[in-house]
Amino acid sequence: MKNVKCGRCVKCGREYEAVPNLTNCECGGILDIIYDYDYIKTTLTKEKLAARDDRSMWRYRELLPVEETTPNTPLRVGWSPLYEADRLAKELGIAKLWVKDDGQNPTASLKDRASAMAVAKAQEAGAKVIACSSTGNAASSLAGNAAAAGLKTYIFVPSRAPKGKVAQLMTFGATVVSVQGSYEDTFELSKQAIDKWGWYNRNAAINPYLSEGKKTVGLEIMEQLNWEVPDYIAISVGDGCTIAGLWKGLKDLYAIGFIDKLPRLISAQAEGCCPLNRAIANNEDWYPMEENTLADSIAVGVPRNADKALMAIRESNGIVVNVSDEEIMAAQKLLGRTCGVFGEPAGVTGTAGIKKLCEQGKLPKDAKIVSVVTGNGLKDVANAIKACGEPISIPSDMDLLLKAFAEKGICIEEAE
Amino acid sequence: MKNVKCGRCVKCGREYEAVPNLTNCECGGILDIIYDYDYIKTTLTKEKLAARDDRSMWRYRELLPVEETTPNTPLRVGWSPLYEADRLAKELGIAKLWVKDDGQNPTASLKDRASAMAVAKAQEAGAKVIACSSTGNAASSLAGNAAAAGLKTYIFVPSRAPKGKVAQLMTFGATVVSVQGSYEDTFELSKQAIDKWGWYNRNAAINPYLSEGKKTVGLEIMEQLNWEVPDYIAISVGDGCTIAGLWKGLKDLYAIGFIDKLPRLISAQAEGCCPLNRAIANNEDWYPMEENTLADSIAVGVPRNADKALMAIRESNGIVVNVSDEEIMAAQKLLGRTCGVFGEPAGVTGTAGIKKLCEQGKLPKDAKIVSVVTGNGLKDVANAIKACGEPISIPSDMDLLLKAFAEKGICIEEAE
């Protein structure tokens, strides 16, 4: 990899050769992949990128830590749509809002970006099996991307993972272990099993390449905005890997001169589980917290990538915002009604955060904001049903329809 | 619309001006949109198409019945991935197989293509409200595409529609009427309500433009195959509109000289509800049938677009195949395991049909086949859970993990 210099520990600064099965530093710190931006500048230009036919995360290969000979992974990951959300912006009273719908990925979440990278690196390592622990989305994305590439998977999920996610990954042929305990318990068991059997490790807080997959969401946002930098990018935060990846992508683009400034990050967590935002708000170290929110994908009481996430938020002069489950459910309906985008609870938490910050007057009226929706609402229908209530239910009879509409206060003008 | 001549009744041949709110012929027959292919040939070339940046169904505007001034609809519909399914082809013993994953659409089904067209035509008609009846997917796709465009929706679903689909469309802000009865009962009530209130009609068997949206799946398949025509295209069949649309797209391309032959269609229905395949197999007219299958999206006992569908199958010298619910569930796992594609039951019925035809020796070994997956498995998790069984469930303990693997007969070689 001519574009990569090494893996460097974010804690102690020790450097490691960027071999495919790189894991944490001996000191326990997570590694950051260090690029040779001078070299990259000689190989990648905006014009070259614009002419590229590939509409997937692999269009950014010059900025990704893979060998030139490594094939693109089979599923079409990335290049999710960035929608102009003018009606939503108007409702919130902000100048300009875009919604990046990353639920439009093969297994319906942003995690596909990391899993595709894991599959590529596992293939470089000559591995036939990949394993991970996950609250659900990383699991199903790994199972899907690995299945498409012909690799076997062992996957550890906490028992609270929604059935939809579990069914999805079992359909992909994964061997699934549902761990009766917290995400922390799940992570520990997966670690022991990976250590014992030497599987390729797709835990995003252990494998430094995964953030590099996730960063493609930031690369895409900027290319889709024609390199015009927004004021803020809002995203939900759990383990910390995703916001760290987003920030890495933005910094890459700044380093190679594709953008001339950096946006501020909005880190949105659930009130019931916000150890990282608490650390920022109180300007202190993070410490564990209960996992008390319906937004299962970000219910992470012991964030495994706290260092990178906190650095990202602080470096960007970011804003933290915590939202209640009710605010998350309201944001789900708001996004659906105004944008036609159906996000899972954790997926819409960034939007819920923007709404709250607007109500609190903490965002300037002329702000240009991108909200990343990290997963599809179909992943967790039970909570969507709770949020929506039940439809009108009647036999096929016009009189009963009129009665039901009247009872619900639905008034229809003819040819409305 | 310079490219459109008229709407012509498929039953009596009567022609109508192609106004935006066109519905059925006075004789009750459904209309077909007739194009001026000579004109289209002067405006569209393969080279022009290849240079086009738009990766959505709207890249084919010259072949679509919309005014030049009508804007593209907001959600990114179409240009779903066409995957080379080499491992699956090998398992089935056929030469070449591609999977068109139309679950990768904004609301996760092929129906987005028709709904986007409905939204475009409703806007041309100056309508503010669209209505439809649907087994679920047309409903959620209409609700999503209409919400994104700022239009209101009234939607009628049979009470058996999976909760995921209902939650999705309610999140999009639709007014939903769940009809206690069959799809036929649901359709009838929607028709009465539409007649009463003059809403724009998105029922695919009434509105002739919707097939024209659906046909883009055929246009894309051929462009993605670089205009090299496969021997067969397999697709699941319910109401009949989708297979009719697919065929229309293929015939369009043949008419303008983009392809030099036509593939044969494989019409796959559920054994428990196959009125159209029965009509073909017995060379007779269709008549109603019970709706007895878990593949809810194709559980249509009274197909509303029988005429166009039967014509399509017959014209293509097509093959009909009926599969059991068990075969559908097996195909779901097969696609997941070999391709990383998670389809809903109706979505994988085409693949189940191919598998059955292969086992029966009815397809030549050197056949090149495309299988269209029409909807995402996340739409109907309950059935996926039935198909998959439960995961291993244990506390976070290595000894218990070893025991569970042993009980399940899972044998792991180190660094496998």
Side-chain angles (χ1 to χ4, degrees), chain A residues 53 55 74-76 79-81 83 87 104-106 108 128-129 144 147-150 152 154 156 163-164 166-168 170-172 175-180 185 189 192-193 196-199 332-333 336-342 378 381 384-385 388-398 401-402 405 410 412 414-416, chain B residues 53 55 74-76 79-81 83 87 104-106 108 128-129 144 147-150 152 154 156 163-164 166-168 170-172 175-180 185 189 192-193 196-199 332-333 336-342 378 381 384-385 388-398 401-402 405 410 412 414-416:
Chain A
D53 212 39
R55 294 293 202 289
L75 297 182
R76 184 186 70 178
W79 203 256
S80 60
Y83 294 127
R87 264 198 316 285
Q104 300 292 308
N105 266 309
K128 297 276 184 295
V129 181
K152 212 168 160 179
Y154 287 87
F156 299 77
K163 292 211 163 208
V166 175
Q168 188 187 23
M170 291 189 72
T171 301
F172 292 138
T175 300
V176 183
V177 180
S178 171
V179 178
Q180 298 156 15
D185 299 328
L189 184 61
Q192 289 175 49
K196 177 172 172 58
W197 286 299
W199 298 326
Q332 196 175 33
K333 289 199 280 187
R337 178 170 57 78
T338 59
C339 303
V341 168
F342 183 34
L378 289 172
V381 167
I385 292 169
C388 291
E390 295 288 330
I392 295 165
S393 177
I394 52 167
S396 180
D397 182 300
M398 270 304 278
L401 182 66
L402 290 168
F405 278 177
I410 297 169
I412 301 160
E414 308 216 354
E416 187 175 358
Chain B
D53 212 40
R55 294 294 202 287
L75 297 182
R76 185 185 70 178
W79 203 258
S80 61
Y83 295 128
R87 266 198 315 287
Q104 300 293 307
N105 265 308
K128 297 275 185 295
V129 181
K152 210 168 162 181
Y154 286 87
F156 298 77
K163 291 210 162 208
V166 176
Q168 188 187 23
M170 291 188 72
T171 300
F172 292 137
T175 301
V176 184
V177 180
S178 172
V179 178
Q180 297 156 15
D185 298 329
L189 184 61
Q192 289 174 50
K196 178 172 171 59
W197 286 299
W199 299 326
Q332 197 176 31
K333 288 199 282 186
R337 179 170 57 78
T338 60
C339 302
V341 168
F342 183 33
L378 289 172
V381 167
I385 292 169
C388 290
E390 294 289 330
I392 294 165
S393 176
I394 52 167
S396 181
D397 182 300
M398 269 304 277
L401 182 65
L402 290 168
F405 278 177
I410 296 170
I412 301 160
E414 307 214 357
E416 187 176 0

Side-chain angles (χ1 to χ4, degrees), chain B residues 247-297:
Chain B
W247 185 240
K248 179 69 175 285
L250 297 167
K251 284 205 302 180
D252 279 354
L253 295 175
Y254 186 77
I256 62 169
F258 276 32
I259 56 176
D260 57 4
K261 59 177 179 175
L262 287 161
R264 295 176 69 183
L265 299 178
I266 296 175
S267 164
Q269 292 205 290
E271 280 176 0
C273 190
C274 55
L276 294 173
N277 280 359
R278 182 176 59 185
I280 298 283
N282 300 340
N283 200 19
E284 63 187 9
D285 275 353
W286 74 273
Y287 54 92
M289 195 167 175
E290 294 286 299
E291 296 173 355
N292 194 9
T293 169
L294 63 77
D296 66 288
S297 304

Side-chain angles (χ1 to χ4, degrees), chain B residues 101-253:
Chain B
D101 186 6
D102 239 43
Q104 300 293 307
N105 265 308
T107 76
S109 84
L110 186 148
K111 299 290 172 76
D112 279 331
R113 300 175 185 276
S115 291
M117 180 59 71
V119 167
K121 297 307 288 184
Q123 286 177 318
E124 286 181 6
K128 297 275 185 295
V129 181
I130 314 183
C132 79
S133 71
S134 158
T135 56
N137 283 334
S140 51
S141 75
L142 176 62
N145 281 279
L151 299 179
K152 210 168 162 181
T153 48
Y154 286 87
I155 286 168
F156 298 77
V157 296
S159 50
R160 66 172 155 78
K163 291 210 162 208
K165 296 182 183 178
V166 176
Q168 188 187 23
L169 65 98
M170 291 188 72
T171 300
F172 292 137
T175 301
V176 184
V177 180
S178 172
V179 178
Q180 297 156 15
S182 66
Y183 177 66
E184 174 68 4
D185 298 329
T186 308
F187 188 92
E188 275 308 318
L189 184 61
S190 78
K191 193 172 173 304
Q192 289 174 50
I194 289 166
D195 287 348
K196 178 172 171 59
W197 286 299
W199 299 326
Y200 192 79
N201 191 334
R202 185 249 177 266
N203 282 327
I206 298 279
N207 183 328
Y209 295 111
L210 301 195
S211 280
E212 305 299 316
K214 289 185 173 184
K215 81 180 177 189
T216 57
V217 72
L219 305 179
E220 286 175 17
I221 289 170
M222 289 317 315
E223 188 179 1
Q224 288 169 321
L225 289 177
N226 201 24
W227 315 109
E228 288 184 25
V229 183
D231 301 305
Y232 302 89
I233 300 181
I235 196 159
S236 56
V237 174
D239 220 9
C241 299
T242 302
I243 195 166
L246 168 63
W247 185 240
K248 179 69 175 285
L250 297 167
K251 284 205 302 180
D252 279 354
L253 295 175

Side-chain angles (χ1 to χ4, degrees), chain A residues 196-255:
Chain A
K196 177 172 172 58
W197 286 299
W199 298 326
Y200 191 81
N201 191 333
R202 186 248 177 265
N203 282 327
I206 298 281
N207 184 328
Y209 294 112
L210 301 195
S211 278
E212 304 300 315
K214 290 185 173 184
K215 83 180 177 190
T216 56
V217 72
L219 306 180
E220 286 175 17
I221 288 170
M222 289 317 314
E223 188 179 0
Q224 289 169 321
L225 289 178
N226 200 24
W227 316 109
E228 289 184 25
V229 183
D231 300 306
Y232 302 88
I233 301 182
I235 196 160
S236 57
V237 174
D239 220 10
C241 300
T242 301
I243 195 167
L246 168 63
W247 184 240
K248 178 70 176 284
L250 297 167
K251 285 205 301 179
D252 279 354
L253 295 175
Y254 187 77

